[in-house]
Structure formats: structure tokens, C-alpha cells
Amino acid sequence: MFDKYFRKDINWGGKTLTLETGKVARQADGAVMARLGDTIVLCTAVGARSVKPGQDFFPLTVNYQEKAFAAGKIPGGFFKREGRPSENETLVSRLIDRPLRPLFPDGFRNEIQVVATVLSHDMENDPDMVAMVGCSAALTLSGIPFFGPIAGARIGYVDGAYVLNPTLEQRKASVLDLVMAGTAEGVLMVESEAHELSEEILLGALKFGHEGMQAVIQGIIELAEVSAKEPWAVTEVSDAEVALKKRISELGSADMTVAYAETQKLVRQDKVGAVKKAIVAKLAEEGVEAGAAKGLLKALEADVVRNAILDTGLRIDGRDTKTVRPIMAEVGVLPRAHGSALFTRGETQALCVATLGTGQDEQIIDQLAGEYRENFMLHYNFPPYSVNETGRMGSPGRREVGHGKLAWRAIHPLLPEKEKFPYTMRVVSEITESNGSSSMATVCGTSLALMDAGVPLKRPCAGIAMGLIKEDRGFAVLSDILGDEDHLGDMDFKVAGTEKGITSLQMDIKITSITFEIMEVALGQAKDGRLHILGEMAKGLSGARNDVAQTAPRITMMSVPKDKIRDVIGSGGKVIREICEQTGCKIDIDDDGTIKVAATSTEQAQKAIDWIRGIVAEPEIGAIYNGKVVKTAEFGAFVNFLGAKDGLVHISELANERVSKTSDIVKDGDAVKVKVIGFDERGKVKLSMRVVDQATGADITEQVGAKRPRAEGEGAERPERGERPFRGERRDRGPRDAAD
């Protein structure tokens, strides 16, 4: 039945990667079942056979989806089925899309959809890299024009050694989490989080990963040799298109060069737009439709900008290749925010606002590998007004999610330990202007906003975006790229870190690959730019403030014995709710007995702390406590004096004089001061009021003497032990003494 079934086993870093095709999803153009351990991902690729009329861009869609059954789980929530993509699914979809996109032919406009579905997760091998390899294989087998294959790899750095595709457990001990993709010739995509590592270590990781993925690339090629479908015919560039491109250059090259000499973005856009309109109008007179020239006009822009940089070393705004635009860093710009910063670099600006919360504000994240809580969130927003456009405002798209995660990775390694700074932190980055790398502006603004909020970061963090112009005659690496340089260039290389080392690196390229020589130049140039930006940021704020803002909650940590947690919470949470309602505090209790009390004032926090301490404290003999009479009886009064603890003040311990009735001295609800004088044989607490000054709480034991008065009806005083009458042969033990 499966006469076209093929299988390839590949040794991938000491593990067996299996690629199967011809058994599942046979109607897709390409379908591969990729397996590593017991992690299995079904990857498919389908392409439209024709181009939609008027299509002027390449419509590639990558969908990565995780099925709950892959981990033996049922989806949570009211609707028991998978819904909108999670943040992780969105990020992995982008991760796969970025290295695939540059490998389709120029001018290819057929719609392509790639789907990766996680069918099984063994809780050891992360499915994201398995999905990337499977998608590459599916495209390679499909016959769709694709200049692959590619392979992906995750690199860790544990105890000074690189680790290829570390397990989930190994990643916890790693100071590097780097994912990359590339072809046999070079690297296409990089995404990483690092604990202030040097440029040399990062470059070494890229070389190590590139070597490690070669076996996978070769395995896909060998599988394609026996199972690939016939390749689609690729339309060659026509002579008419070549001639039209030449004519457009003749009509507008000089004017486009003048337009791009304008340094102000919006003015430059107007001038470039006017040149384009003039070219289109002239072509219309020659009988050429505007649609035919649209893509070639962008090619004209690219030629003008790229050649000018390679020929003169000067860029659109007049800078050389290494200069960073002017920077202004301001903090405390919003009076009610816990921390805020306005970071401006040239025509790019980010307003970053930090808010501090308690453990109750942590984000619960449910993934296939398990549920966990996150106490640091960074949300990035890119409103259309930031680039002088109108547009739809709604939920964040893939770009917003991706840029926010990149900045999150840059800051995350620098956060204080939760035990030392028990706050939940949320930063919102509102991009108010954009002309090049708003994600790196977000890194800088987030670092400043957190320090302004009093978050003790290990060190300030800055980010810079690098660009690349690469032609046969040479290349130029550009520091702090503009938006146009990003669109018309060959690389977007973003590096974030501190003065000590790199915390995050991301790279995307638009050509088939770049060399390690170029990456080494880019890393070195990025380091110089990063250190310059850190110096400019220090003019606004060089380190964290000594304390959190007045408007932020104050969190006090205390610890109680584990067996007392139940007492603090109370039946059905009654006690903890009462404490919160009465004091106005928020209280978090961990399973290890750690209690965090959050309040907006010291008085509120202290009230809650004293309450909790009263609940968990054990009575001490000789200690004096404030109490409240909860019940009176003929033989004395029961007093609540230590949290939920009660003790008995015997009628003889109510006062120094003889007491006829308990109610003559105290009534229910009276506030009294009591001293612990002992415990009975059942462990019940015995209290005394007569030895405590009820006005001051002072101990007056010596004033009243050791003897206590006789209570009404108590009987005659017993003689001292030596004076007692003889009632049996054995006075020191036995039932006779008990009867006494």
C-alpha cells in the first residue's frame, strides 16, 4: 500500500534522527515525519500552482502547532480543544520561516504553506529543531523551487564545552541557549540568549553548530535522491523584464540618488515617492503598465543605496559605516509609573514602562513540556503612527511577539534572583517613532525603566542592529542601521549585552548565506557600538535606584515552619483572606513555608507580619502577651492571646485579691494582658493576669509574691509538704498521693 515509503536515519550529535516520507499526508506536495527520540513532528509543504493576479510579493506561511495529546494532556480552559496559537507556537513559526524565506527564487510569487504539527513530545528533545529539519525536508522533496536543504541546531554551553541539541535538563545548566539554521555553505538565521558571553564564545558556538548540522543536510539530500518529486519549472527572467529594468534605471537613477541624499526620513520618503511617480508616468507614456514596474522600482532603490555605500563609505543620513546616531536617555518620565524611560536614538524612540507586582501577578504558562510561572514579562507594541501610517490596532501580531521576545532574552539573564527580589516585573515598550531597530531601542529602554523602578539588574544592557551590503566587489557592515538600510540590505544582525558580554544575538539574512568572516566583523563592530550606547545611557541612569518607587508594593519575606502553613491559610482560606482584608496586603505562600507580604505602606505590612507571627508562634513560659477574653466560666476565663491560640486564666490568677465570680473581673471581649505561667498535663496553656500590670503590661511577679490568694470556695490552704499529715506508708507515690 505504501509503495513510495522511504526512510532515512541520521546520526545527529550522537542521537538518531529519523525522516520518513510516503506514509502519512501523501496528498501534500511534500510530507515528512521527523523523529528524534520519542519526539515526532509531521511536516508538510504545499504550493499553489498559479500566481494570483496582481500578486507582487512572495506569500509564504509557516504554521507550527502543538497538539496537547502529544504530551498526554487535555487542553485547559472551557473549550477543550486547541485554539489560537500560543506565544511559543508563534515564535517557532517565525523561527522556521526566517531561514526558509531567502531560499526561494527571486520573483517567485506562488503561495506556499508549510505546516509542522507536533504529534509526540518525549519531554527530553525539544520539537522546534525537529520541526525545522522536517519542514526543510518536506520542501526539498516537494518539487517546489527551493534552494535548500537547510538544517537547524540548538547549541548549549555547559562547563566550558559546547553541547549540540542539549536536552531540556541540560539546558537548565547551560549559560547559552542558541538556535541556528543554515545551508551547507553558511549560516542563515541565529536566535540566542546568553549569560554575558564573549564574542569569541558566540562565534565558536556558530561554527560548532554549523559543523553539527552538516550530517542532517546530507541526509536530506540522500532522502531526496530517492523520493523527491519532479521539480517545478522556474520562470526565467524575460528579455523584456531585463530591458524594462534598464529603462527604469535610465529614467530615474540620477533623481533617485538625489532623493536618497536627504537625511530626514519623512522628507526623504516624499522625495523618493515623487521620483517613483515620475518614472511611472514616463513609462505610461511609453505604454508600460504601472504594475510591471513596481518590483523593479524597489530594485532601483536598492542599487542606488547599496552602490553609494560601497563607493563612498557614506550612508543615507550622511554617517559612515560605524557611527551610531545621536542618543538621548531619560528616566522617570511618568510620575505614577513604578519605572519609566524614554530612549531616543536618531528617529527611533521607545517609551518603556516598568510595573512591579507580587507573586499573584506571575504569568502561568502551559506548554507541552509542563506548566511553569514566569515573573518577568516584556510586551512590545508597534502602533502605525510610529512610521507615519494609518492601520489596524488590535492584538499583537507575529512581529510584535518576536521583537518582544528578543528584548526579553536580552534582559532575562541580568535579572536578580527571585529569592533576593521577589517581585513580578512587567515592562511595556511603546514604539513612538521608528526608523531602524525598535527592538534594540526596547532593550535599552527596558534596562533603564527597570533600573528606574529599583530592580537591581546585574548591569545595564544595550542593543544595536547591524546591517550588511554584500556584492561581488566587496561588503560593508553597517552599525545602527536605518529602516531603508534594513529593507534594501542583506542582513539584520542584532546584538544586545552589557559591558561584560553578550546576552542576546539574532541574525536574519536575505541572501543564501554569509561567511564567518563577515560575522566576526559584525560582532566586533557591534561591541564598539554597544559600549558607546551604554555610555550614553549612563548619562540618564547608570544603575538601579536604591529602593522601589513609592507607588510600588513593598514586599517583605518571612518564613514559617511547613506544618504551620495550614494554620496561616485556615480552613478554606478563611484566615489568609481575613488577614488580607483587614490589613490591605497581598500575601503569597510557597510550599516551603516562604511567605511574601506585599503592601503599599510599612504599617500595613507590619500588621500582617505580626498577625502571621502570632499564628505560627509557640507560647513561651514567662512571656507576656496581649489577649482578648473569648469565654468566661465559673473557674476562670479563656483568653485568645497568640493568633488562634487560647489559654485559661484560672479564677485564682485573675487578680491579687479574692475573686468571687469571674465576671466581676473580666467579661467576653475584654482586652487583657496575660503571662504564660505553664502548661497542664494535656499541653493546654495556663495564663495569669494578676502578675501583669494591666495598664502598662509590666511583669509584677515580685510585687505580688509567690503565693496566690485563695479563691471563693477553693478550701483551706494546703500546708507545706513537710507539714502534711501522714496518710499511708508511702507518701511519695501511688494512689494515696493521687487521692490527696
Side-chain angles (χ1 to χ4, degrees), residues 93-112:
S93 295
R94 281 172 49 87
L95 206 65
I96 298 172
D97 180 295
R98 286 156 47 195
L100 295 181
R101 191 173 291 272
L103 298 182
F104 290 88
D106 290 337
F108 187 70
R109 298 290 183 264
N110 299 59
E111 183 175 2
I112 303 296

Side-chain angles (χ1 to χ4, degrees), residues 140 156 354 417 423:
T140 303
E417 296 177 1
Y423 286 88

Side-chain angles (χ1 to χ4, degrees), residues 577-657:
R577 282 198 303 270
E578 184 181 3
I579 298 174
C580 294
E581 291 169 0
Q582 294 295 324
T583 64
C585 298
K586 287 185 177 181
I587 300 175
D588 296 323
I589 304 179
D590 296 335
D591 292 339
D592 63 356
T594 300
I595 297 180
K596 300 167 191 169
V597 179
T600 54
S601 72
T602 304
E603 293 76 13
Q604 286 178 311
Q606 194 59 50
K607 185 178 179 181
I609 291 170
D610 291 343
W611 194 329
I612 294 171
R613 283 176 177 165
I615 294 174
V616 301
E618 294 293 341
E620 298 180 17
I621 294 180
I624 295 174
Y625 300 94
N626 292 318
K628 182 174 73 172
V629 177
V630 293
K631 183 181 179 182
T632 58
E634 292 183 2
F635 52 84
F638 290 96
V639 176
N640 174 239
F641 70 99
L642 190 61
K645 294 181 177 63
D646 294 341
L648 173 64
V649 180
H650 191 269
I651 193 170
S652 62
E653 294 291 342
L654 288 173
N656 291 320
E657 64 274 8

Side-chain angles (χ1 to χ4, degrees), residues 113-148:
Q113 185 176 38
V114 178
V115 179
T117 306
V118 181
L119 303 179
S120 177
H121 190 350
D122 61 8
M123 305 300 163
E124 180 178 344
N125 299 291
D126 203 312
D128 55 359
M129 291 297 96
V130 180
M132 180 178 289
V133 170
C135 291
S136 168
L139 280 168
T140 303
L141 304 184
S142 67
I144 296 171
F146 175 66
F147 301 143

Side-chain angles (χ1 to χ4, degrees), residues 525-696:
Q525 203 165 308
K527 181 178 181 180
D528 295 337
R530 183 175 81 245
L531 294 177
H532 167 74
I533 295 171
L534 284 169
E536 295 299 302
M537 289 169 56
K539 296 177 182 179
L541 188 62
S542 59
R545 300 197 185 279
N546 294 329
D547 197 5
V548 298
Q550 291 293 326
T551 53
R554 305 292 171 125
I555 297 181
T556 305
M557 298 180 65
M558 61 183 297
S559 182
V560 302
K562 292 183 180 180
D563 58 353
K564 298 292 184 181
I565 295 176
R566 182 182 301 175
D567 297 334
V568 178
I569 295 175
S571 177
K574 179 181 178 181
V575 175
I576 196 71
R577 282 198 303 270
E578 184 181 3
I579 298 174
C580 294
E581 291 169 0
Q582 294 295 324
T583 64
C585 298
K586 287 185 177 181
I587 300 175
D588 296 323
I589 304 179
D590 296 335
D591 292 339
D592 63 356
T594 300
I595 297 180
K596 300 167 191 169
V597 179
T600 54
S601 72
T602 304
E603 293 76 13
Q604 286 178 311
Q606 194 59 50
K607 185 178 179 181
I609 291 170
D610 291 343
W611 194 329
I612 294 171
R613 283 176 177 165
I615 294 174
V616 301
E618 294 293 341
E620 298 180 17
I621 294 180
I624 295 174
Y625 300 94
N626 292 318
K628 182 174 73 172
V629 177
V630 293
K631 183 181 179 182
T632 58
E634 292 183 2
F635 52 84
F638 290 96
V639 176
N640 174 239
F641 70 99
L642 190 61
K645 294 181 177 63
D646 294 341
L648 173 64
V649 180
H650 191 269
I651 193 170
S652 62
E653 294 291 342
L654 288 173
N656 291 320
E657 64 274 8
R658 192 175 69 178
V659 178
S660 300
K661 294 173 60 178
T662 301
S663 57
D664 291 342
I665 304 298
V666 293
K667 295 180 175 59
D668 291 357
D670 284 356
V672 297
K673 294 177 174 60
V674 295
K675 178 179 179 180
V676 178
I677 59 174
F679 303 89
D680 64 17
E681 63 275 7
R682 294 177 297 172
K684 302 297 183 181
V685 183
K686 296 193 292 185
L687 303 172
S688 175
M689 287 175 53
R690 72 184 185 90
V691 296
V692 182
D693 188 320
Q694 294 299 308
T696 65

Side-chain angles (χ1 to χ4, degrees), residues 91 140 222 359 396 406 577 683:
L91 292 171
T140 303
E222 292 174 3
L406 171 59
R577 282 198 303 270

Side-chain angles (χ1 to χ4, degrees), residues 155-157 162 174-180 187 189-210 413 493-497 500-507 516 519-520 522-524 526 530:
I155 311 301
Y157 193 63
Y162 298 114
S174 176
V175 294
L176 173 67
D177 184 16
L178 183 147
V179 293
M180 60 183 296
V187 179
M189 182 277 298
V190 180
E191 186 89 36
S192 69
E193 178 183 332
H195 289 254
E196 297 182 285
L197 300 180
S198 67
E199 284 74 12
E200 291 74 20
I201 292 177
L202 266 295
L203 191 61
L206 294 174
K207 292 179 179 179
F208 176 81
H210 188 251
F493 191 92
K494 298 172 181 175
V495 185
K500 184 178 178 181
I502 294 173
T503 57
S504 183
L505 186 152
Q506 183 188 83
M507 185 190 76
F516 289 106
M519 282 191 280
E520 188 172 4
L523 283 169
R530 183 175 81 245

